[in-house]
Each structure stands twice: as C-alpha cells, then as structure tokens.
Amino acid sequence: MLLNGKEFSKKLKNNLKIEVENLKKETNQTPGLTIILVGNNPASEIYVRNKVKDATNCGINANLIRFDETISEQELIDEVIKLNNDDTCHGLIVQLPLPKHINEQVIIDTISPDKDVDGFGILNKGKLFSGLESIESATPKGIMKLLEEYNIDPKGKHAVIVGRSNIVGKPMAIMLLNKHATVTICHSRTENLSEITKQADILVVAIGKPKFITKDMVKEGAVVIDVGTNRVDDKLVGDVDFENVDPITSYITPVPGGVGPLTIASLLENTVIAFKNAINFKN
Ligand code: GUN
C-alpha cells in the first residue's frame, strides 16, 4: 500500500493555514520564515521556490534573501546575526549546500537555536539525542508523522536505516529509538548490507543512489520509506527500486509524492512552533 506523503502534506498544510489565520487574529502578528540562499545551485533554487510558495500559501511571511556565491564566511555570519536580532523573523534557514569556502556547521550554529527551524544546529540535535523537547529536523519529523498517520507503530520493531547523514539518517535513528524501535544504522561501508536490510520491519533509505535497494534486500511485508531524490534522465528516482520492491512490501513511499512534500510541511510547522515560542503564545 502506498504511503501517500503528497496527500498527507496537503492535509498538514491546510491545518497549518487555519492555525496561522487564527494566530494572526489573536496576536496581530504574522509568523515569519527567512530563507538564505547563497549562489544558484539548480536543486536549491527549486527547493527554495517551493518553500516560499508553500509558506505564503499557509499565511506565513516568507522572506528570501539571496547572496552571491562570493560572499565570505564572516559576511554570512554577520547576516545571520542580524536576522537573529530581527523580531519579524521567527524561523531562519540557510539552504544547503553552501560554497566550499564556507563551513556549513559554523553557519548553522550561528543561527539562534530558537529560530533553527531546520533543527540542524547542535543544540537542537543535542536535545533530540537527550530525549528533550527540540525543534526536529524536517525530513525525519515528516516521516514519523507519516508512520503515525497510517497507524504504523515502531514500538518493538526492527528499524533499519541506510544512510548516516546529520540531516536524515542520524536524527531518524534517534526519533525511531524514542518511539521504542530497535534501530540499526547502515552506511556505505557496511558489510553484508542485504543481510541486515532483510531483517528490517521498517526500512528507511537515505543514501542518494538511484534504485539501490532491490527486491532481494527487503523482507516480505516490510514498511519501506524512500528518502532518495535522484535525478536520472531528468526524472526523479528514489533510492529504492520501487517497481520490483513495491509488491512485497506492506507499505511503501513513492518518489516523487512520498517523503519530499512532507519535509516542507514539517518546516512550516516548525516555523509556527518557533513563532508561538517567540511571542510566548499559549494554546
Ligand atoms: N538542502 C537539502 N535539503 C535541505 C533542507 O532540508 N534544509 C536546508 N537548509 N538545506 C537543504
């Protein structure tokens, strides 16, 4: 059965739109999301365009600030500090990747943890790892919500994650662990990978290799979450060989229309949470 992230994200964004309307009436203020884009990486251009469009549709003030790729690390740090002190900016993200001469983690950790709506900063990551309330990274947060929507409870299940990135793999592992799954993280150097993936009740794949997970690597009845967004011959292809894997799964996310749309919905949710925290709004 398909896990329809596209439909679910529409529902989340509709709910958010209603919440933002009510918040505006009650507070006379508008949640603000600022997105910094350095250079003009084609994939980033598309992501950022969609973030601005969806934020605006939800009633959030979206402010895109662009810099030339020649901007220095220090200049970018100074811009982030300015926005940290701007009361109309409640959520602040810097689209990745950044040019090679800029240290991404330094920039991310300059963002105020209260405005770090990507949840990429060390404080939010540390809180997540410690089981404390935090702003959670958008993609794994969206996946957890999708599982919940389809009544898939990770408790006691063996969740196998392929990919150990700071953005998806690692926070995904912790979120599943916090929901009482038994978690294994695999990566490019894992030996006998298919023996491990075949044990997965829930298999999350975020490795960035088109159709990498084949039918023989998946257990019958598994739940398969495909985070891959690979462009092949101008088409979007996941990390899972969907056509052949789909028939043996109980649930699977398509690409496109699975995990991708949920990332933006979660980012916008995080922006509204950051807004409410900033103005001390109690529900
Ligand atoms: N680049 C690819 N995905 C993301 C994301 O979720 N946030 C940011 N800031 N950059 C990205």
Side-chain angles (χ1 to χ4, degrees):
M1 184 176 166
L2 275 193
L3 293 169
N4 193 332
K6 194 168 170 188
E7 276 309 307
F8 182 46
S9 77
K10 277 187 200 158
K11 185 168 135 184
L12 290 175
K13 284 186 282 192
N14 265 334
N15 291 343
L16 212 54
K17 188 173 175 177
I18 294 164
E19 188 181 3
V20 170
E21 269 169 25
N22 289 333
L23 280 168
K24 283 185 186 173
K25 276 189 210 138
E26 285 185 51
T27 68
N28 270 324
Q29 296 184 67
T30 303
L33 170 66
T34 303
I35 303 168
I36 293 180
L37 177 60
V38 179
N40 40 22
N41 174 304
S44 294
E45 293 276 357
I46 295 170
Y47 287 137
V48 162
R49 197 188 320 141
N50 287 332
K51 286 174 187 176
V52 170
K53 185 183 81 191
D54 285 359
T56 307
N57 282 341
C58 286
I60 294 170
N61 269 344
N63 177 23
L64 172 61
I65 305 181
R66 307 183 71 121
F67 295 108
D68 198 87
E69 63 187 2
T70 55
I71 190 172
S72 71
E73 186 175 288
Q74 189 55 52
E75 283 170 320
L76 191 54
I77 288 173
D78 292 343
E79 295 292 342
V80 169
I81 292 171
K82 247 192 259 170
L83 290 160
N84 283 344
N85 295 318
D86 177 347
D87 288 342
T88 65
C89 161
H90 306 100
L92 171 57
I93 66 170
V94 177
Q95 188 66 27
L96 304 177
L98 289 171
K100 295 253 178 307
H101 65 276
I102 300 176
N103 182 324
E104 288 183 347
Q105 199 60 45
V106 166
I107 300 300
I108 286 165
D109 285 322
T110 304
I111 298 172
S112 159
D114 296 332
K115 300 190 180 190
D116 169 29
V117 286
D118 261 333
F120 290 171
I122 48 171
L123 192 76
N124 281 310
K125 285 272 172 57
K127 283 183 172 177
L128 175 70
F129 276 51
S130 305
L132 300 172
E133 203 170 301
S134 63
I135 304 184
E136 294 179 333
S137 302
T139 300
K141 175 179 173 160
I143 292 170
M144 295 307 288
K145 280 182 162 274
L146 186 65
L147 293 176
E148 200 182 325
E149 173 74 2
Y150 283 85
N151 295 315
I152 299 165
D153 185 359
K155 185 168 148 189
K157 297 284 187 287
H158 188 186
V160 175
I161 296 155
V162 186
R164 57 175 158 178
S165 71
N166 285 327
I167 294 180
V168 181
K170 284 188 220 167
M172 185 82 257
I174 301 301
M175 286 180 205
L176 285 163
L177 192 61
N178 288 347
K179 290 288 178 194
H180 317 294
T182 300
V183 178
T184 303
I185 307 181
C186 304
H187 46 82
S188 53
R189 317 269 167 92
T190 298
E191 293 179 4
N192 303 322
L193 178 67
S194 65
E195 277 174 31
I196 303 170
T197 56
K198 254 192 289 197
Q199 295 172 28
D201 302 308
I202 299 172
L203 180 62
V204 182
V205 193
I207 196 166
K209 292 184 182 162
K211 299 189 182 186
F212 179 79
I213 297 290
T214 48
K215 185 181 163 189
D216 55 307
M217 299 170 80
V218 179
K219 182 167 80 173
E220 182 102 27
V223 175
V224 176
I225 308 288
D226 188 350
V227 189
T229 49
N230 310 288
R231 232 160 244 292
V232 178
D233 300 332
D234 236 30
K235 264 180 63 187
L236 215 52
V237 177
D239 290 350
V240 176
D241 176 12
F242 181 87
E243 205 178 291
N244 294 309
V245 172
D246 174 35
I248 65 163
T249 62
S250 58
Y251 291 95
I252 186 167
T253 58
V255 177
V259 173
L262 287 171
T263 300
I264 297 187
S266 300
L267 171 72
L268 301 180
E269 273 191 8
N270 284 348
T271 303
V272 173
I273 293 170
F275 168 73
K276 289 194 284 190
N277 289 341
I279 64 165
N280 224 344
F281 183 86
K282 302 271 184 280
N283 274 338

